[in-house]
Amino acid sequence: DTAVSQTPKYLVTQMGNDKSIKCEQNLGHDTMYWYKQDSKKFLKIMFSYNNKELIINETVPNRFSPKSPDKAHLNLHINSLELGDSAVYFCASSRPGTYNSPLHFGNGTRLTVT
Amino acid sequence: ILNVEQSPQSLHVQEGDSTNFTCSFPSSNFYALHWYRWETAKSPEALFVMTLNGDEKKKGRISATLNTKEGYSYLYIKGSQPEDSATYLCAVKAAGNKLTFGGGTRVLVKP
């Protein structure tokens, strides 16, 4: 029944490792996003895909690479993890046209880099 | 960069009391404003999407108004209940900008 699901919920790893977070939505939405909750608890957009095509790519280190195998999935791969990457990452989806369609969020992945 | 401000950052409300708080944004090139409710350990859930000046939306005891000319939206909670305790986020879309979130208003309803 879960509309937007992301795994894992918690991820603890060491500096320098490579890790992935997976996201899947069963709402039939064309647009998917990755948000990062920063240290001040703000939600900041990282990436947005529309029907597997990258449409938003904010100023994010190129160690972060999104991959969308199909429009129901948007995974986030992070290379060479750094301490500053520790945060909560949220996946979301919406119908096309971001300004008048509400976002549906996953439950977040808390990444801790030690 | 779009500046979306929410105030207050937090507020305590006695159960049964009504309350309201604000989301402010630049009034130019406005497209839409979203309100989300975010309970601890859960994901943000959409409450309203508002696009027109003067829009008013209502969902149960929660309602919102929008003034695009002066650049603000109010969210109202009538007869607050403990289950209303959450962080309320607003997000604004304007021309040339991504959907930008404010910092949220954290509401704690005391029984």
Side-chain angles (χ1 to χ4, degrees), chain A residues 61-88:
Chain A
N62 57 15
R63 298 181 294 104
F64 289 77
S65 55
K67 284 187 172 50
S68 182
D70 55 62
K71 72 174 191 178
H73 294 84
L74 181 61
N75 303 322
L76 183 65
H77 189 75
I78 315 170
N79 288 330
S80 303
L81 278 154
E82 299 177 357
L83 292 175
D85 297 332
S86 296
V88 183

CSV table of all heavy atoms in Angstrom, one decimal, chain A residues 61-88:
chain,number,residue,atom,x,y,z
A,61,PRO,N,27.3,18.0,-5.1
A,61,PRO,CA,28.6,17.4,-5.5
A,61,PRO,C,28.4,16.3,-6.5
A,61,PRO,O,27.4,15.5,-6.4
A,61,PRO,CB,29.2,16.9,-4.2
A,61,PRO,CG,28.6,17.7,-3.2
A,61,PRO,CD,27.2,18.1,-3.7
A,62,ASN,N,29.3,16.2,-7.5
A,62,ASN,CA,29.0,15.1,-8.5
A,62,ASN,C,29.3,13.7,-8.0
A,62,ASN,O,29.2,12.7,-8.7
A,62,ASN,CB,29.9,15.4,-9.8
A,62,ASN,CG,31.4,15.5,-9.5
A,62,ASN,OD1,31.8,15.1,-8.4
A,62,ASN,ND2,32.1,16.0,-10.4
A,63,ARG,N,29.6,13.6,-6.7
A,63,ARG,CA,29.6,12.3,-6.0
A,63,ARG,C,28.2,11.7,-5.9
A,63,ARG,O,28.0,10.5,-5.7
A,63,ARG,CB,30.2,12.4,-4.6
A,63,ARG,CG,31.7,12.9,-4.6
A,63,ARG,CD,32.2,13.0,-3.2
A,63,ARG,NE,31.6,14.0,-2.4
A,63,ARG,CZ,30.7,13.7,-1.5
A,63,ARG,NH1,30.3,12.5,-1.3
A,63,ARG,NH2,30.1,14.7,-0.8
A,64,PHE,N,27.2,12.6,-6.0
A,64,PHE,CA,25.8,12.2,-6.0
A,64,PHE,C,25.3,12.0,-7.4
A,64,PHE,O,25.4,12.9,-8.2
A,64,PHE,CB,25.0,13.3,-5.3
A,64,PHE,CG,25.2,13.4,-3.8
A,64,PHE,CD1,26.3,14.1,-3.4
A,64,PHE,CD2,24.3,12.9,-2.9
A,64,PHE,CE1,26.6,14.2,-2.0
A,64,PHE,CE2,24.5,13.0,-1.5
A,64,PHE,CZ,25.7,13.7,-1.1
A,65,SER,N,24.8,10.8,-7.7
A,65,SER,CA,24.3,10.5,-9.0
A,65,SER,C,23.0,9.8,-8.9
A,65,SER,O,22.9,8.7,-8.4
A,65,SER,CB,25.3,9.7,-9.8
A,65,SER,OG,25.7,8.5,-9.1
A,66,PRO,N,21.9,10.4,-9.4
A,66,PRO,CA,20.6,9.8,-9.5
A,66,PRO,C,20.6,8.9,-10.7
A,66,PRO,O,21.2,9.1,-11.7
A,66,PRO,CB,19.7,11.0,-9.6
A,66,PRO,CG,20.5,12.0,-10.3
A,66,PRO,CD,21.9,11.8,-10.0
A,67,LYS,N,19.7,7.8,-10.5
A,67,LYS,CA,19.5,6.9,-11.7
A,67,LYS,C,18.0,6.6,-11.7
A,67,LYS,O,17.5,6.1,-10.7
A,67,LYS,CB,20.4,5.7,-11.5
A,67,LYS,CG,21.8,5.9,-11.9
A,67,LYS,CD,22.7,4.7,-11.9
A,67,LYS,CE,24.0,4.9,-12.4
A,67,LYS,NZ,24.8,6.0,-11.8
A,68,SER,N,17.4,6.7,-12.8
A,68,SER,CA,16.0,6.4,-13.0
A,68,SER,C,15.8,5.3,-14.0
A,68,SER,O,15.7,5.6,-15.2
A,68,SER,CB,15.2,7.6,-13.3
A,68,SER,OG,13.8,7.4,-13.4
A,69,PRO,N,15.7,4.0,-13.6
A,69,PRO,CA,15.6,3.0,-14.6
A,69,PRO,C,14.2,3.0,-15.3
A,69,PRO,O,14.1,2.5,-16.5
A,69,PRO,CB,15.8,1.7,-13.8
A,69,PRO,CG,15.5,2.1,-12.4
A,69,PRO,CD,15.9,3.5,-12.3
A,70,ASP,N,13.2,3.5,-14.6
A,70,ASP,CA,11.9,3.7,-15.2
A,70,ASP,C,11.2,4.8,-14.3
A,70,ASP,O,11.7,5.2,-13.3
A,70,ASP,CB,11.1,2.4,-15.2
A,70,ASP,CG,11.0,1.7,-13.8
A,70,ASP,OD1,10.4,2.4,-12.9
A,70,ASP,OD2,11.5,0.6,-13.6
A,71,LYS,N,10.0,5.2,-14.8
A,71,LYS,CA,9.5,6.4,-14.1
A,71,LYS,C,9.0,6.1,-12.7
A,71,LYS,O,8.6,7.0,-12.0
A,71,LYS,CB,8.4,7.0,-15.0
A,71,LYS,CG,7.1,6.2,-15.1
A,71,LYS,CD,6.0,7.0,-15.8
A,71,LYS,CE,4.7,6.3,-15.7
A,71,LYS,NZ,3.6,7.1,-16.4
A,72,ALA,N,8.9,4.8,-12.3
A,72,ALA,CA,8.5,4.5,-11.0
A,72,ALA,C,9.6,4.4,-10.0
A,72,ALA,O,9.4,4.2,-8.8
A,72,ALA,CB,7.7,3.2,-11.0
A,73,HIS,N,10.9,4.5,-10.5
A,73,HIS,CA,12.0,4.4,-9.6
A,73,HIS,C,13.0,5.5,-9.8
A,73,HIS,O,13.3,5.9,-10.9
A,73,HIS,CB,12.8,3.0,-9.9
A,73,HIS,CG,12.0,1.8,-9.6
A,73,HIS,ND1,11.0,1.3,-10.5
A,73,HIS,CD2,12.0,1.0,-8.5
A,73,HIS,CE1,10.5,0.2,-9.9
A,73,HIS,NE2,11.0,0.0,-8.7
A,74,LEU,N,13.5,6.0,-8.7
A,74,LEU,CA,14.6,7.0,-8.7
A,74,LEU,C,15.6,6.7,-7.6
A,74,LEU,O,15.2,6.9,-6.4
A,74,LEU,CB,14.1,8.4,-8.6
A,74,LEU,CG,15.2,9.5,-8.7
A,74,LEU,CD1,15.9,9.5,-10.0
A,74,LEU,CD2,14.6,10.9,-8.4
A,75,ASN,N,16.7,6.1,-7.9
A,75,ASN,CA,17.7,5.8,-6.9
A,75,ASN,C,18.8,6.8,-6.8
A,75,ASN,O,19.0,7.6,-7.8
A,75,ASN,CB,18.3,4.4,-7.3
A,75,ASN,CG,17.3,3.3,-7.5
A,75,ASN,OD1,16.3,3.3,-6.7
A,75,ASN,ND2,17.5,2.4,-8.5
A,76,LEU,N,19.4,6.9,-5.7
A,76,LEU,CA,20.4,7.9,-5.4
A,76,LEU,C,21.7,7.1,-5.0
A,76,LEU,O,21.7,6.4,-4.0
A,76,LEU,CB,20.0,8.8,-4.3
A,76,LEU,CG,21.0,10.0,-4.0
A,76,LEU,CD1,21.1,10.9,-5.2
A,76,LEU,CD2,20.5,10.7,-2.8
A,77,HIS,N,22.7,7.3,-5.8
A,77,HIS,CA,24.0,6.7,-5.5
A,77,HIS,C,25.0,7.8,-5.1
A,77,HIS,O,25.1,8.8,-5.7
A,77,HIS,CB,24.6,6.0,-6.8
A,77,HIS,CG,25.7,5.1,-6.5
A,77,HIS,ND1,25.7,3.9,-5.8
A,77,HIS,CD2,27.1,5.4,-6.7
A,77,HIS,CE1,26.9,3.4,-5.7
A,77,HIS,NE2,27.8,4.3,-6.2
A,78,ILE,N,25.7,7.5,-4.0
A,78,ILE,CA,26.7,8.4,-3.5
A,78,ILE,C,28.0,7.8,-3.4
A,78,ILE,O,28.2,6.7,-2.8
A,78,ILE,CB,26.3,8.9,-2.0
A,78,ILE,CG1,24.8,9.2,-2.0
A,78,ILE,CG2,27.1,10.1,-1.7
A,78,ILE,CD1,24.3,9.5,-0.6
A,79,ASN,N,29.0,8.4,-4.1
A,79,ASN,CA,30.4,7.9,-4.1
A,79,ASN,C,31.2,8.6,-3.0
A,79,ASN,O,30.9,9.8,-2.7
A,79,ASN,CB,31.0,8.1,-5.4
A,79,ASN,CG,30.5,7.2,-6.5
A,79,ASN,OD1,30.1,6.1,-6.2
A,79,ASN,ND2,30.4,7.7,-7.7
A,80,SER,N,32.2,7.9,-2.5
A,80,SER,CA,33.2,8.5,-1.6
A,80,SER,C,32.6,9.4,-0.5
A,80,SER,O,32.8,10.6,-0.4
A,80,SER,CB,34.2,9.4,-2.5
A,80,SER,OG,34.8,8.6,-3.5
A,81,LEU,N,31.7,8.7,0.2
A,81,LEU,CA,31.0,9.4,1.3
A,81,LEU,C,31.9,10.2,2.2
A,81,LEU,O,32.9,9.8,2.6
A,81,LEU,CB,30.1,8.4,2.1
A,81,LEU,CG,28.8,8.0,1.3
A,81,LEU,CD1,28.4,6.7,1.8
A,81,LEU,CD2,27.8,9.1,1.6
A,82,GLU,N,31.3,11.4,2.6
A,82,GLU,CA,32.0,12.3,3.5
A,82,GLU,C,31.2,12.6,4.7
A,82,GLU,O,29.9,12.4,4.7
A,82,GLU,CB,32.3,13.7,2.8
A,82,GLU,CG,33.2,13.5,1.5
A,82,GLU,CD,33.4,14.8,0.8
A,82,GLU,OE1,32.8,15.9,1.2
A,82,GLU,OE2,34.1,14.9,-0.2
A,83,LEU,N,31.8,13.0,5.8
A,83,LEU,CA,31.1,13.3,7.0
A,83,LEU,C,29.9,14.2,6.8
A,83,LEU,O,28.8,14.0,7.3
A,83,LEU,CB,32.0,13.9,8.1
A,83,LEU,CG,33.1,12.9,8.6
A,83,LEU,CD1,34.0,13.7,9.6
A,83,LEU,CD2,32.5,11.7,9.3
A,84,GLY,N,30.1,15.2,5.9
A,84,GLY,CA,29.1,16.2,5.7
A,84,GLY,C,27.9,15.7,4.9
A,84,GLY,O,26.9,16.4,4.8
A,85,ASP,N,28.0,14.5,4.4
A,85,ASP,CA,26.8,13.9,3.7
A,85,ASP,C,25.8,13.4,4.7
A,85,ASP,O,24.7,13.0,4.3
A,85,ASP,CB,27.3,12.8,2.8
A,85,ASP,CG,28.2,13.2,1.7
A,85,ASP,OD1,28.1,14.4,1.3
A,85,ASP,OD2,29.1,12.4,1.3
A,86,SER,N,26.1,13.3,6.0
A,86,SER,CA,25.2,12.8,7.0
A,86,SER,C,24.0,13.7,7.0
A,86,SER,O,24.1,15.0,7.2
A,86,SER,CB,25.8,12.8,8.4
A,86,SER,OG,26.9,11.9,8.4
A,87,ALA,N,22.8,13.2,6.8
A,87,ALA,CA,21.6,13.9,6.7
A,87,ALA,C,20.4,12.9,6.5
A,87,ALA,O,20.6,11.7,6.4
A,87,ALA,CB,21.6,14.9,5.5
A,88,VAL,N,19.2,13.5,6.5
A,88,VAL,CA,18.1,12.7,6.1
A,88,VAL,C,17.7,13.0,4.6
A,88,VAL,O,17.6,14.2,4.3
A,88,VAL,CB,16.8,12.9,7.0
A,88,VAL,CG1,15.7,12.0,6.6
A,88,VAL,CG2,17.2,12.7,8.5
